[in-house]
Amino acid sequence: METLATLWETFFDLESMREALPEMLTVGLPNTLLLALLSAILGTLLGMLLAMAGLARTRWLRWPARLYTDVFRGLPAAVTILLIGVGLAPLGLAWWGPNPYPLGILALSLIAAAYIGEIFRSGIQSVEASQLEATRALGLSHGAAMRLVIIPQGVRRVLPAWVNQLIALIKDSSLVYFLGLVASQRELFRIGQDYAANTGNESALLLAGLFYLVITVPLTHLVNWVDRRLRDGRAGGPEPDSDDPVALAGEAAPSTGGSGRETRHA
Amino acid sequence: MSVATRDVHLSFGRHQVLRGIDLAVGRGETACVIGPSGSGKSTLLRVVNRLLEPDRGDVLLDGVSVLDQDPDALRQRIGMVFQQFNLFPHMTVLRNVTLALRQLKKLSRDEATELALRQLDLVGLRHKADVRPGRLSGGQQQRVAIARALAMSPRVMLFDEATSALDPELVKGVLSLMAELAGQGMTMLVVTHEMGFARQVADQVVFLDRGRVVEAGPPAQVFEDPRSERLAQFLSQVL
Ligand SMILES: Nc1ncnc2c1ncn2[C@@H]1O[C@H](COP(=O)(O)OP(=O)(O)OP(=O)(O)O)[C@@H](O)[C@H]1O
Ligand SMILES: [Mg+2]
């Protein structure tokens, strides 16, 4: 009984949580969101460039993209963040002073870009060649066809995987604490950890964990929702069609349900 | 606009798919290309709008070689319709039709929309302008694909087995649209397995086998009086 009570105190000491709450809300949460959001934007842009390079016809773009992806996916996030955040710190100091955020965001973005690039590349590659052919047959250039037809479809197909990557990014943003944060720069994890150290129990850290869940769990469900919606929009059952004038002249109700995507190559 | 090919050869690796194709389709005429699977029919169509480049030979539009024209400009004058429709699934029906109008003809949004709606009206699908292609039946999708091609006011239309992926009851609507187009004087090159359509609509039927034109002529001659053993055999299989 004694041990159970201690355990309870360790994780669910409401007093410790209440103490940590204001700072988590006003400092930790905005900082975590800032880190994650900026890294998400930069990582997505870089990822798109990487995907394009990975799909390029010339190997002088494909190989560097491959190498980049292998390196940044292969390294532990903590190693990358330390190498960039500490290794480039002298440069950072010269450019924007002692704030570790820019380099932290850069490191997070570089890591995310490696994953997001692969996600986008596989999505774009999954678009049937016949889509490109049809677009070119209309007279659009290769670039316009990619931009307007191929990439939008490819990216749509991998949006769920992309959101998963954003979730990973939110969690990884806790690693910038390695770079040394002054009080106002602390994000959720660091604040939880500091309060946990002061109070001697883990309740504040648990509270930080709850904050992460409040951000990530809705995102997970958003993924599923987006996925379902895209499926409906693409291949959902055809609607009844009584108002089709030509249907009367030879076409019965739609029965293929085909979206025209399954390409048995002609 | 007339279409002609002169001694067109094309290989994929060591596989010779087209082995000297000569073809002449007069302005406003419809030529139906028939032949067994793998004979090179789709490949031939793709050479005409330069989705594929011939290894040898020439393609002429109104007597002018297309091989030294800008392919993108060439394709704006040649509409193409595919077996699998190949509509853009992430766009509404309307945007499928307006895309090239806006990108290539540089029409304003309103102009493009008006033209596209008129074109959709002609294929009986104006009321579907705002839905995604995935919500349409195969026959409706193919009619949208035809509208998409026609919106660019092409001078030549290429059809690659436009009805082969359709359920039997949906075929008629698409074929009658094609017949109507032929009747309006469009120059058309039509790869088809619909012998009834070829017989009724074609000015010329071209029988392709193993990359060669084995026989070509008016439908009555090709269907009633085949001169080669291969055509007779092919017809006995499909009729
Ligand atoms: N991109 C390609 N690469 C290699 N071989 C190809 C390619 N496209 C077509 N072929 C081959 O060329 C030959 C002719 O193909 P094509 O599609 O022109 O035939 P088809 O007459 O249209 O046949 P079907 O009636 O089945 O559509 C086939 O043997 C095919 O396998
Ligand atoms: Mg074919």
Side-chain angles (χ1 to χ4, degrees):
Chain A
M1 260 349 267
E2 188 77 1
T3 2
L4 272 186
T6 319
L7 262 185
W8 180 264
E9 290 282 294
T10 302
F11 292 111
F12 301 102
D13 177 19
L14 290 182
E15 195 44 49
S16 306
M17 289 193 185
R18 197 168 309 148
E19 228 173 273
L21 184 62
E23 224 177 347
M24 274 203 190
L25 273 174
T26 57
V27 180
L29 183 62
N31 279 340
T32 293
L33 289 178
L34 181 76
L35 284 167
L37 194 70
L38 290 180
S39 313
I41 293 171
L42 196 58
T44 301
L45 291 177
L46 279 174
M48 183 49 83
L49 288 180
L50 268 179
M52 301 314 317
L55 292 167
R57 266 170 284 199
T58 158
R59 65 172 78 116
W60 300 111
L61 287 171
R62 275 200 323 270
W63 286 356
R66 185 76 260 153
L67 182 69
Y68 177 98
T69 306
D70 286 346
V71 169
F72 281 90
R73 280 204 309 185
L75 287 175
V79 171
T80 306
I81 288 171
L82 270 175
L83 280 178
I84 289 176
V86 176
L88 299 183
L91 280 183
L93 201 60
W95 286 341
W96 52 71
N99 189 344
Y101 268 47
L103 286 177
I105 289 168
L106 177 66
L108 287 170
S109 308
L110 292 178
I111 299 167
Y115 290 93
I116 292 175
E118 281 298 275
I119 290 170
F120 284 168
R121 189 180 59 80
S122 70
I124 292 166
Q125 240 165 359
S126 78
V127 178
E128 298 72 13
S130 56
Q131 286 283 311
L132 183 61
E133 189 177 50
T135 317
R136 298 302 309 270
L138 281 170
L140 274 76
S141 66
H142 183 83
M146 290 301 285
R147 187 163 47 82
L148 297 164
V149 175
I150 307 302
I151 292 176
Q153 282 184 68
V155 167
R156 247 163 247 239
R157 290 181 192 185
V158 293
L159 277 185
W162 175 72
V163 177
N164 280 334
Q165 211 46 57
L166 299 190
I167 290 172
L169 194 50
I170 290 163
K171 295 185 291 182
D172 284 351
S173 69
S174 60
L175 293 172
V176 296
Y177 99 97
F178 284 146
L179 304 181
L181 304 171
V182 304
S184 65
Q185 293 165 346
R186 293 178 304 165
E187 36 65 65
L188 286 172
F189 165 68
R190 182 59 199 277
I191 288 176
Q193 205 203 19
D194 284 356
Y195 275 92
N198 287 339
T199 57
N201 67 58
E202 301 303 317
S203 302
L205 199 53
L206 184 82
L207 183 64
L210 289 176
F211 267 95
Y212 282 107
L213 289 180
V214 165
I215 311 172
T216 54
V217 170
L219 270 180
T220 319
H221 288 279
L222 180 72
V223 176
N224 296 336
W225 181 79
V226 167
D227 198 28
R228 238 185 350 262
R229 274 212 38 159
L230 290 179
R231 250 181 248 292
D232 289 350
R234 202 158 58 220
E239 52 202 13
D241 224 355
S242 51
D243 59 340
D244 181 353
V246 185
L248 306 174
E251 283 199 3
S255 52
T256 55
S259 58
R261 282 183 51 242
E262 315 82 353
T263 324
R264 180 158 46 90
H265 196 77
Chain B
M1 185 170 265
S2 70
V3 181
T5 68
R6 297 263 181 278
D7 195 33
V8 165
H9 289 254
L10 188 148
S11 307
F12 293 113
R14 290 180 52 212
H15 183 20
Q16 298 184 11
V17 175
L18 300 181
R19 303 191 289 174
I21 303 277
D22 286 294
L23 202 72
V25 187
R27 173 183 309 199
E29 279 185 12
T30 294
C32 282
V33 181
I34 62 173
S37 179
S39 56
K41 306 182 295 294
S42 300
T43 306
L44 175 62
L45 285 195
R46 280 162 178 74
V47 168
V48 172
N49 66 356
R50 291 185 67 190
L51 286 175
L52 293 171
E53 297 289 332
D55 302 327
R56 185 141 64 83
D58 204 354
V59 178
L60 310 168
L61 290 190
D62 276 348
V64 180
S65 171
V66 302
L67 293 181
D68 34 44
Q69 296 180 26
D70 170 39
D72 292 337
L74 170 73
R75 291 177 196 138
Q76 290 188 45
R77 293 183 294 153
I78 304 179
M80 186 162 192
V81 175
F82 303 86
Q83 181 174 354
Q84 298 292 344
F85 332 131
N86 300 350
L87 293 177
F88 309 132
H90 61 302
M91 299 178 182
T92 63
V93 163
L94 181 67
R95 269 210 71 209
N96 264 273
V97 183
T98 56
L99 179 74
L101 293 172
R102 303 223 36 208
Q103 289 296 315
L104 301 172
K105 302 233 161 171
K106 304 293 178 200
L107 297 190
S108 72
R109 179 192 295 269
D110 289 347
E111 289 167 330
T113 302
E114 194 192 320
L115 204 161
L117 286 176
R118 211 175 324 134
Q119 206 57 250
L120 285 170
D121 210 12
L122 292 178
V123 301
L125 288 171
R126 187 191 175 106
H127 62 297
K128 294 291 180 191
D130 294 323
V131 308
R132 296 282 171 90
R135 300 248 157 205
L136 302 181
S137 74
Q140 292 172 331
Q141 290 190 52
Q142 194 60 295
R143 276 149 47 205
V144 172
I146 293 173
R148 176 175 73 177
L150 290 179
M152 293 296 286
S153 329
R155 310 284 308 280
V156 176
M157 285 289 289
L158 309 175
F159 291 86
D160 191 1
E161 299 196 34
T163 57
S164 295
L166 300 181
D167 288 348
E169 71 271 22
L170 307 180
V171 168
K172 220 171 89 186
V174 172
L175 286 183
S176 62
L177 192 56
M178 289 164 63
E180 203 177 301
L181 200 55
Q184 289 161 5
M186 178 68 78
T187 306
M188 313 212 304
L189 202 49
V190 181
V191 171
T192 186
H193 289 308
E194 297 288 337
M195 297 304 153
F197 175 85
R199 205 188 287 260
Q200 281 170 27
V201 178
D203 300 291
Q204 182 188 173
V205 177
V206 178
F207 174 59
L208 216 62
D209 190 29
R210 289 179 220 155
R212 289 212 172 88
V213 176
V214 176
E215 253 181 80
Q221 179 200 314
V222 169
F223 288 118
E224 313 310 339
D225 189 17
R227 302 196 175 154
S228 64
E229 187 56 37
R230 292 225 295 271
L231 175 56
Q233 200 184 2
F234 174 75
L235 288 176
S236 73
Q237 280 163 4
V238 296
L239 289 180

